[in-house]
Amino acid sequence: MNARLALLGTVAPGATESEVFRLALGHAVGELSALGGTMHLRGPMSALRLVSSVGLPPALTRSWEIVDQEGPLAPARALQQGKGVWVPSTPGRTDQDVSWPGTGLAALPVFSGRRSIGALTVLSGERGEPTPEHWDFLRDVVAWTEERMAQAPPPSGPTQAELSGERLRQALKEVQVGSWDWDIRNGDLLWDEAALELYGTLQADFTGRIDNWMRIVHPDDLAPTLAAAQQAILDHSVYEAEYRVRRLDGTWGWTQARGRATYDEQGEPLRMIGVGWESNESRTARDALGRALRHMSDGFLAVDDEWRITFANLEAERFLGFSEEELFGRLLWELPAMREVPGARDRCLEAAAEERPAGFDVHLEACERRLHVRLVPGPDGRTLYFQDVTEKRRLAEERQAAERAAAERVVRIAELTTDLAKATTSRDVVEAVARRVLPPFAAAGLMVQVIEGDRLHHVGAVGYPEDFVALLDSRSRPSAGDPAWDTIASGSPLFMSSAHEYAARYPALAGFPARGNKKSWAFLPMTASGHTFGVCVVAFDRPRLLNDEERALLTTISALVAQSLERARLYDAEHTRSRELQRSLLPQALPDLPACTAAARYLPAGPGADVGGDWYDIIPLSGGQVALVVGDVMGHGLPEAATMGRLRTAVHTLADLELPPDEILGHLNDIVGNMGEASYATCLYALYDPTTRVCSIARAGHPPPALVRPDGTVHFPEPDADPPLGAAKPPFETVELEVPEGSLLVLYTDGLVESAKREIDEGMADLARLLSAAHADGTTVDLERLCDTLTAGLLPTDQQAADDAAFLVARLHALPADRMASWPLPDDPRAAGQARRHVREQLSAWDLDDLAPTTELLVSELVGNVVRHARGPIRLRLLHSAELICEVYDGSQTMPRIRRATETDEGGRGLQLISALSTRWGARYTSTGKCIWTEQPLRPLPDPVEALLLNAAAFEGDWEALL
């Protein structure tokens, strides 16, 4: 006989299963010189549970803790074939992601009677497959194992030692019963929270399979526990078992389980439902737990399958209104107390029908109590727990409400931070604080004040009467104390919860709370860069004592507001300077000219936008002509505003040179081009001549003007604009329009008709529609009113404009034909005499005889200069407008200039004479030469000759003889 078998035969009956498995594996591995071995026992469904191993590290055995009986692994094959199997190792092959060493696995099934209950497996080393003698030895070892397993004692339960007083008190603290539901058909397993805790399993580790239970049962207890469950299923009886389970800390603890199976119509088992509880304590403890159950604060009822009461503790007796003796055997639903619980019967029956633990709250309106009812199905009936959760739910609701309020405040603060980051001006900051801070704190007022000099100046307020805000504005620090000034001086917040506290602290200001209609306050200092520069006051319309959390939150908010307000104040100051600069560069007033009457508007972009470069201008020129100009420097900011000023000055200079529109734009294009690559501008220059009613228009990248004819039709000149200044290549195209008397010419920048929501074509159509409607209803009679109409229609106040806009509306007037006179003159000395005669006759016809002497002198000098220094043809023209205009045309391009004659010079004083006798004079180029012109007021200058230190009486003779 083999010595190892003889040694095993000396083991006395009654050894535990774990000891039997250890000895069997040890001798099998030793006899075969193997690397290690395992023992698996069969569990419910198709699973084999690892109950013992020898010589193998956990890294290998971990993947074999649960083995599928239908799978390809060696233990499963042994059970499938009912005999020993050899599974050689294949290089590179792994089982469940683990590479096994050795040459192969030898496995044999283990039987209990005729039923296979497990498998013994040996991992062979270098010797490879077992020899026939080794197979015989392994079969003998398996036979010995089967014999000793049958003789092993059942689980004995915990030690029956008496509990100490401390352990007994610990046991009495809580009765913990877990419920479970095992689907026998597919192996699904349900545990409630109590069962998870009882069986030492985390919710994250629970897979809902019977494998979870097999892993936590002690190997010695697995076989008898499974046998008890199998027997209960076969006998249709109650399943009862006591076994050890592995706790979360790795130790083993005793538990008891009790359950019953359910079956289908054919008698096939469907599910087993039961309960489990810890059974580590002795009978003394169990009795103590029973007493604890009887006297615990929660109501506890046990009912049978027909809902008749089998047990009730004292709290249940008080709730139901009867003693336990009176309750025993009574139907639960017949009790008056249960009939008063709304929906209790339906919900209990619904939960019982599902045979699963369930819990729900019920509200007792009569006593304003809320109970939590927990129903747990068991093999012999059901248990119900009644717990008064009125205070618990109230606290939970208050906690949830507080958490919601805190979450809302956090969201508000995040929104406030976002809004403050976007805030540009001080007004934006105040509006953001009012919108994001007042609602979550149920505040009714906000006031922000900053120090300027030795006074507190108002920045913004919400929820205060206007007269009260005016009272606090520009207020110096009073000698008796002031909450705002004290907060700034200390740099710390000041909280006052009532008007009484306010009056007690500041008796001299006791009337302020009533005037401001507020009853509690939070004065918050605004500090930035270590300097406290103002105060933010959050006020409430009721007495309120803020808690520490609210105070800390408001203090944090004040720091955010201070940073944003400091940044906004810097922006406000810069923006104000930019606006002032821009407005100083625009015309302060439009000139009143005979050729046109005009009105204009400059409309800055919305809040947050920097100054722009839009401008307009009206420039009076010689001969009653007028230049209408509008332009737009691309971009926003001080550099653009400065560029606008430079271009406007340049336009004035070029216009004074009497250049045609296309040449003026050419010069402007050179100026802008020399400013740098990033400088661009658009411009429209219109030159109107009232003597011909012709308007010459040139534009560079600018929208066309709108011409409103006397019949109300609106016309936009068709030719496309040249590129913007700085990008164009001259020459610029000029369009000439004949303008009927009384027509309107509307010049504008793109900000008036174009936006992110409106294309420029759509905006021009809107402009034309507004102009036609204004002509129809008579609005065009008043140009200022027309400007207001266009502004309201194209740039409504409720829509923030992203770009500034400028527009100019001019009504053009023609000079009547009877106010003009023109004569050709000979190109010889006779021209001066003829010119004087024409002047005398025409001024007499216009009833301007008082101007004749001066005008004759001017005409004589102008014509004489042409005869002497220029060439013909010569032409004289008089215009009777707001002034008397004399024009002399010749064919020379040579321009006159004033010379400072010395005492010995015979000439050079003619232009000085002209400058002294006229209010304005000049010369301009024409298509055939030039024109020299003068302007005189319709009322003659006093003693013009005496003004030249001449004695008029000495010249009583003919002026012709003199000249």
Side-chain angles (χ1 to χ4, degrees):
M1 182 178 181
N2 185 289
R4 292 184 181 276
L5 293 176
L7 188 59
L8 288 175
T10 64
V11 178
T16 63
E17 288 186 348
S18 60
E19 182 67 16
V20 171
F21 299 152
R22 185 183 65 79
L23 290 171
L25 289 173
H27 286 285
V29 171
E31 181 68 20
L32 274 65
S33 298
L35 300 177
T38 63
M39 176 66 74
H40 285 81
L41 289 183
R42 192 171 188 172
M45 313 304 296
S46 59
L48 289 172
R49 160 74 190 282
L50 177 66
V51 295
S52 185
S53 66
V54 170
L56 299 177
L60 285 178
T61 59
R62 189 175 298 115
S63 64
W64 273 32
E65 284 188 356
I66 301 294
V67 174
D68 186 1
Q69 295 181 29
E70 307 298 330
L73 301 184
R77 292 188 184 184
L79 264 67
Q80 295 165 12
Q81 300 180 20
K83 62 180 181 179
V85 297
W86 167 252
V87 181
S89 295
T90 302
R93 183 179 70 85
T94 61
D95 294 331
Q96 300 184 6
D97 299 329
V98 176
S99 178
W100 285 74
T103 56
L105 296 165
L108 294 91
V110 178
F111 289 87
S112 176
R114 303 180 64 179
R115 179 175 176 270
S116 60
I117 62 171
L120 182 146
T121 307
V122 177
L123 177 62
S124 293
E126 296 178 355
R127 293 187 178 185
E129 183 178 358
T131 64
E133 292 77 10
H134 286 157
W135 280 115
D136 291 340
F137 175 78
L138 290 177
R139 293 187 187 95
D140 291 339
V141 171
V142 169
W144 177 84
T145 301
E146 293 169 349
E147 179 184 356
R148 287 299 188 269
M149 285 180 65
Q151 297 171 356
S156 59
T159 304
Q160 298 296 313
E162 291 296 325
L163 293 180
S164 65
E166 179 61 30
R167 293 187 64 199
L168 181 60
R169 284 191 294 274
Q170 185 67 24
L172 293 174
K173 285 184 178 179
E174 184 176 359
V175 177
Q176 189 74 5
V177 178
S179 61
W180 46 267
D181 184 344
W182 170 34
D183 192 322
I184 301 173
R185 297 167 298 177
N186 57 26
D188 288 344
L189 180 66
L190 296 178
W191 284 346
D192 63 5
E193 293 183 3
L196 287 170
E197 182 176 351
L198 176 67
Y199 295 134
T201 303
L202 296 175
Q203 181 68 51
D205 298 332
F206 184 63
T207 62
R209 301 288 298 171
I210 193 65
D211 299 352
N212 287 107
W213 178 79
M214 292 179 62
R215 285 191 176 93
I216 55 96
V217 177
H218 194 282
D220 289 350
D221 303 340
L222 182 60
T225 303
L226 291 172
Q230 186 67 27
Q231 193 63 43
I233 293 173
L234 294 174
D235 297 344
H236 290 224
S237 60
V238 174
Y239 160 68
E240 290 184 290
E242 189 169 20
Y243 50 89
R244 286 163 291 180
V245 298
R246 185 172 56 239
R247 298 190 180 99
L248 285 173
D249 59 4
T251 62
W252 299 93
W254 285 94
T255 63
Q256 279 190 323
R258 181 180 175 84
R260 183 187 293 274
T262 61
Y263 305 85
D264 61 14
E265 297 177 354
Q266 287 74 34
E268 293 295 325
L270 299 176
R271 296 159 57 197
M272 180 176 281
I273 302 171
V275 295
W277 62 92
E278 189 174 328
S279 60
N280 281 325
E281 308 302 340
S282 66
R283 294 296 177 186
T284 303
R286 296 178 190 179
D287 294 341
L289 291 174
R291 292 194 299 273
L293 186 65
R294 173 75 177 159
H295 294 278
M296 70 179 184
S297 59
D298 295 340
F300 179 83
L301 280 176
V303 296
D304 59 16
D305 291 337
E306 297 180 354
W307 296 93
R308 295 189 180 276
I309 298 173
T310 58
F311 175 81
N313 71 351
L314 293 177
E315 181 61 26
E317 292 177 9
R318 282 192 290 269
F319 174 68
L320 297 175
F322 298 95
S323 66
E324 184 180 11
E325 292 77 11
E326 294 172 322
L327 292 171
F328 187 80
R330 295 190 63 176
L331 189 63
L332 180 63
W333 316 121
E334 294 179 351
L335 299 174
M338 290 302 298
R339 289 199 295 267
E340 293 178 1
V341 179
R345 177 175 181 175
D346 294 339
R347 301 183 74 171
C348 286
L349 292 176
E350 180 182 351
E354 297 178 357
E355 287 294 334
R356 294 179 182 176
F360 52 88
D361 283 3
V362 294
H363 182 65
L364 305 180
E365 296 182 357
C367 55
E368 290 298 326
R369 294 172 61 197
R370 183 174 293 180
L371 300 179
H372 181 72
V373 180
R374 183 167 177 258
L375 183 143
V376 179
D380 299 321
R382 300 163 183 86
T383 55
L384 289 93
Y385 300 85
F386 295 87
Q387 182 182 13
D388 189 338
V389 293
T390 305
E391 185 66 13
K392 182 178 180 181
R393 295 290 187 266
R394 184 186 65 80
L395 293 176
E397 290 172 357
E398 291 180 354
R399 183 175 63 255
Q400 291 174 359
E403 291 174 353
R404 285 195 301 269
E408 290 177 358
R409 283 198 293 269
V410 170
V411 172
R412 293 276 186 175
I413 296 305
E415 294 174 344
L416 172 63
T417 303
T418 302
D419 285 0
L420 290 178
K422 297 177 181 177
T424 304
T425 65
S426 300
R427 181 178 178 182
D428 295 339
V429 173
V430 174
E431 291 177 351
V433 175
R435 184 169 58 254
R436 300 301 186 187
V437 176
L438 299 189
F441 287 93
L446 172 72
M447 182 176 293
V448 178
Q449 293 182 308
V450 296
I451 300 176
E452 293 183 8
D454 60 348
R455 294 179 178 273
L456 273 179
H457 284 269
H458 175 69
V459 174
V462 174
Y464 280 96
E466 293 184 3
D467 58 342
F468 183 72
V469 173
L471 174 66
L472 298 183
D473 193 16
S474 301
R475 184 165 45 95
S476 60
R477 183 169 186 170
S479 58
D482 179 276
W485 280 105
D486 289 353
T487 299
I488 295 173
S490 65
S492 300
L494 174 61
F495 301 95
M496 288 181 283
S497 59
S498 65
H500 178 74
E501 181 181 353
Y502 188 106
R505 186 184 290 263
Y506 301 101
L509 306 176
F512 275 30
R515 299 186 66 174
N517 196 26
K518 299 295 180 288
K519 298 182 180 178
S520 56
W521 304 261
F523 288 84
L524 308 170
M526 290 191 296
T527 304
S529 303
H531 169 63
T532 301
F533 63 89
V535 62
C536 175
V537 185
V538 178
F540 305 86
D541 55 6
R542 58 184 175 85
R544 179 171 179 180
L545 180 62
L546 298 171
N547 58 38
D548 293 341
E549 179 187 356
E550 291 173 325
R551 293 186 177 193
L553 191 57
L554 283 173
T555 304
T556 302
I557 290 173
S558 69
L560 294 174
V561 174
Q563 295 291 338
S564 299
L565 188 59
E566 182 74 359
R567 184 181 67 249
R569 292 176 68 204
L570 293 175
Y571 173 84
D572 288 342
E574 180 181 355
H575 194 66
T576 299
R577 289 192 295 269
S578 300
R579 293 286 189 207
E580 291 175 352
L581 171 63
Q582 185 184 43
R583 292 196 178 278
S584 68
L585 296 175
L586 291 173
Q588 302 303 306
L590 296 178
D592 185 12
L593 303 174
C596 72
T597 52
R601 292 288 187 274
Y602 170 76
L603 305 168
D610 210 339
V611 294
D614 292 21
W615 91 92
Y616 58 87
D617 217 337
I618 295 181
I619 306 172
L621 301 176
S622 65
Q625 298 179 106
V626 60
L628 308 173
V629 190
V630 66
D632 181 6
V633 178
M634 297 183 184
H636 293 83
L638 281 176
E640 284 71 18
T643 299
M644 178 266 285
R646 295 171 63 184
L647 291 180
R648 181 168 176 256
T649 301
V651 169
H652 268 271
T653 302
L654 295 170
D656 284 343
L657 295 178
E658 304 276 359
L659 299 177
D662 58 327
E663 293 188 25
I664 288 180
L665 291 187
H667 288 295
L668 290 178
N669 184 67
D670 294 338
I671 294 173
V672 175
N674 292 331
M675 292 180 181
E677 296 182 357
S679 297
Y680 296 99
T682 66
C683 183
L684 186 151
Y685 188 95
L687 177 63
Y688 176 65
D689 187 347
T691 64
T692 61
R693 293 187 291 109
V694 172
C695 184
S696 301
I697 301 172
R699 55 194 179 103
H702 205 86
L707 178 63
V708 185
R709 295 189 175 94
D711 60 359
T713 58
V714 180
H715 169 68
F716 294 97
E718 292 297 332
D720 295 332
D722 288 294
L725 300 175
K729 293 183 179 180
F732 290 87
E733 182 179 358
T734 301
V735 177
E736 292 188 351
L737 302 176
E738 185 173 346
V739 181
E741 166 65 22
S743 298
L744 291 180
L745 190 64
V746 181
L747 284 66
Y748 53 90
T749 61
D750 59 353
L752 184 69
V753 294
E754 186 179 27
S755 68
K757 298 181 179 179
R758 182 174 59 190
E759 295 293 335
I760 189 169
D761 292 340
E762 180 183 354
M764 291 171 60
D766 291 341
L767 173 62
R769 175 180 51 81
L770 289 172
L771 290 172
S772 296
H775 181 275
D777 61 19
T779 304
T780 54
V781 174
D782 186 346
L783 297 186
E784 293 292 339
R785 183 182 169 192
L786 176 60
C787 288
D788 294 338
T789 301
L790 296 180
T791 302
L794 296 172
L795 297 173
T797 56
D798 59 345
Q799 296 181 12
Q800 179 173 329
D803 191 11
D804 51 348
F807 65 93
L808 174 67
V809 180
R811 176 173 283 109
L812 303 180
H813 305 289
L815 187 64
D818 59 357
R819 294 295 186 95
M820 297 183 290
S822 179
W823 305 271
L825 298 175
D827 187 10
D828 57 44
R830 295 176 301 157
Q834 294 181 19
R836 289 193 296 275
R837 184 173 63 256
H838 293 318
V839 165
R840 285 195 300 271
E841 293 173 353
Q842 189 61 51
L843 292 184
S844 177
W846 286 341
D847 197 18
L848 297 176
D849 297 289
D850 293 340
L851 298 180
T854 304
T855 307
E856 288 183 46
L857 184 58
L858 290 172
V859 169
S860 295
E861 181 62 31
L862 293 177
V863 173
N865 283 337
V866 169
V867 172
R868 183 176 181 181
H869 303 292
R871 64 175 182 270
I874 306 174
R875 185 166 62 90
L876 170 66
R877 187 171 72 162
L878 293 181
L879 303 178
H880 182 189
S881 182
E883 305 89 5
L884 178 63
I885 301 172
C886 299
E887 296 178 337
V888 176
Y889 296 83
D890 63 51
S892 172
Q893 297 285 328
T894 303
M895 285 292 179
R897 59 187 182 89
I898 294 181
R899 294 168 54 195
R900 301 302 174 186
T902 64
E903 294 181 356
T904 60
D905 289 338
E906 295 183 0
R909 296 179 179 82
L911 292 180
Q912 295 182 31
L913 178 67
I914 293 172
S915 178
L917 294 178
S918 62
T919 57
R920 201 163 66 108
W921 76 277
R924 65 176 182 268
Y925 289 107
T926 66
S927 58
T928 59
K930 68 176 179 292
C931 170
I932 305 176
W933 55 268
T934 64
E935 290 183 2
Q936 301 169 250
L938 296 183
R939 291 186 178 182
L941 290 173
D943 299 324
V945 179
E946 293 181 5
L948 294 174
L949 302 179
L950 297 176
N951 186 1
F955 299 96
E956 294 180 355
D958 191 356
W959 280 97
E960 294 182 12
L962 176 65
L963 298 176

